[in-house]
Amino acid sequence: MSERDLMPGWSVELLHDDFRQCLKEATLLYDSETAHQRLRVFRNPTFGRILTLDGVVQVTEGDEFIYHEMMAHVPMLAHGAAKRVLIVGGGDGGMAREALKHPGLERLVMVEIDAGVIEFSRRYLPGIGAGAFDDPRLEIVIADGADFMRESAEVFDVILVDSTDPIGPGETLFTDSFYGCARKRLAEGGIMVTQNGVPFLQKAELTRSMTAFKALFRDYGCYMATIPTYVGGPMAMGWATDGDARGVAAATLAERVAEIGLEARYYTPEIHKAAFALPGYVSALMP
């Protein structure tokens, strides 16, 4: 009998060896296994609809805005003139939704390995994409993100790696080879931001990525945000660029926010700047 079987009516996340997260399943809405992973959607009284892949929480209606706003707006507002953006992953549509709030964006490519994620997100989590899949600026490519990075010749101003954890299909998105190929896909002054887990529980994951970034980029590091259902402390979002976008002033960010009329629930220029101030235990993980 598995740990999940011992708690009927609850979704038990087994991502970490010594730590469990349990979320009450008020209503099970979807449960199906694709060629790549097991997809489940259920409703929780506090967080609303929740999507899990292979039992690991990917997105919830309740707190997704924190993750998606910080992943998308920090690099795009720091860049200031991003016209071409690439999302690797992001099949729930939340990252595309936030990126498309920038009127200067001309082309958005989303590379998702599993068409099933997009299909059921449109049906069971429509509020997260909020119409993003119908925007003419969005092109969806069903492919492995690592293969796309290696084979594509297109360059982008911002690359957002909205990956799962480094297990299963997401494992290839945390390799030196992937990051090296991603660097070639960045235009001059381009910025790459990556999902790098919760450093308190996933120390090695962050250090591995930062070691690769150090060898490839002039400016590398991470910034942080706290998303309640990504448990174990603040989440790290990797930052990599050969430009100077990290140093943009809060006043300049505020002007850019006003110019595009951005209405955000978590992101502010002040949060943007403060997110790069790392706790000591995270700084110690940097190579």
Side-chain angles (χ1 to χ4, degrees), residues 140-200:
I140 297 172
V141 178
I142 303 302
D144 183 280
D147 292 341
F148 180 90
M149 284 294 191
R150 184 172 58 253
E151 297 167 3
S152 174
E154 189 171 0
V155 295
F156 300 89
D157 300 308
V158 172
I159 296 175
L160 306 172
V161 184
D162 183 14
S163 62
T164 58
D165 289 285
I167 52 177
E171 189 172 2
T172 59
L173 305 183
F174 291 81
T175 63
D176 293 2
S177 174
F178 174 80
Y179 294 136
C181 292
R183 186 181 188 278
K184 296 175 183 178
R185 302 279 71 77
L186 281 175
E188 184 177 355
I191 303 167
M192 178 171 68
V193 167
T194 60
Q195 184 278 111
N196 269 110
V198 177
F200 192 85

Side-chain angles (χ1 to χ4, degrees), residues 91-102:
D92 56 64
M95 201 66 69
R97 179 198 73 213
E98 294 302 318
L100 289 164
K101 289 181 179 179
H102 294 253

